Amino acid sequence: MDGVSPDQEALVERLAELRAEHEALNREVDALAENGVVDQLKFARLKKEKLRLKDQIAEVEDQLTPDIIA
């Protein structure tokens, strides 16, 4: 065994999925901003979704990082 539990593998996969989704939303937000004609409601919804994903990414990263007791 390589020292990585199935739970950790699942978290790493989930982290990759969340990061890809966040990057896709980032590109969509950037495209809307560059377009000049921005649907403010859609823009706000996308930015809120990006923040939600960022929070989920941080949560998964915290689960992957072991607690260090000094």
Side-chain angles (χ1 to χ4, degrees):
M1 182 156 222
D2 60 3
V4 178
S5 73
D7 289 340
Q8 286 176 318
E9 287 180 17
L11 287 173
V12 169
E13 289 176 20
R14 179 68 179 142
L15 184 58
E17 292 169 1
L18 289 170
R19 285 180 174 162
E21 192 175 343
H22 185 269
E23 183 57 34
L25 279 174
N26 198 37
R27 286 191 302 268
E28 189 173 351
V29 167
D30 288 345
L32 278 175
E34 289 175 8
N35 192 6
V37 180
V38 178
D39 177 353
Q40 292 297 322
L41 186 59
K42 182 176 182 176
F43 191 74
R45 183 180 52 80
L46 290 173
K47 290 190 73 135
K48 186 174 182 178
E49 179 68 11
K50 274 181 53 181
L51 287 173
R52 186 185 65 76
L53 286 171
K54 188 174 180 181
D55 288 344
Q56 287 183 342
I57 289 168
E59 184 178 313
V60 172
E61 287 174 338
D62 285 347
Q63 291 175 6
L64 285 171
T65 305
D67 290 336
I68 299 174
I69 301 173

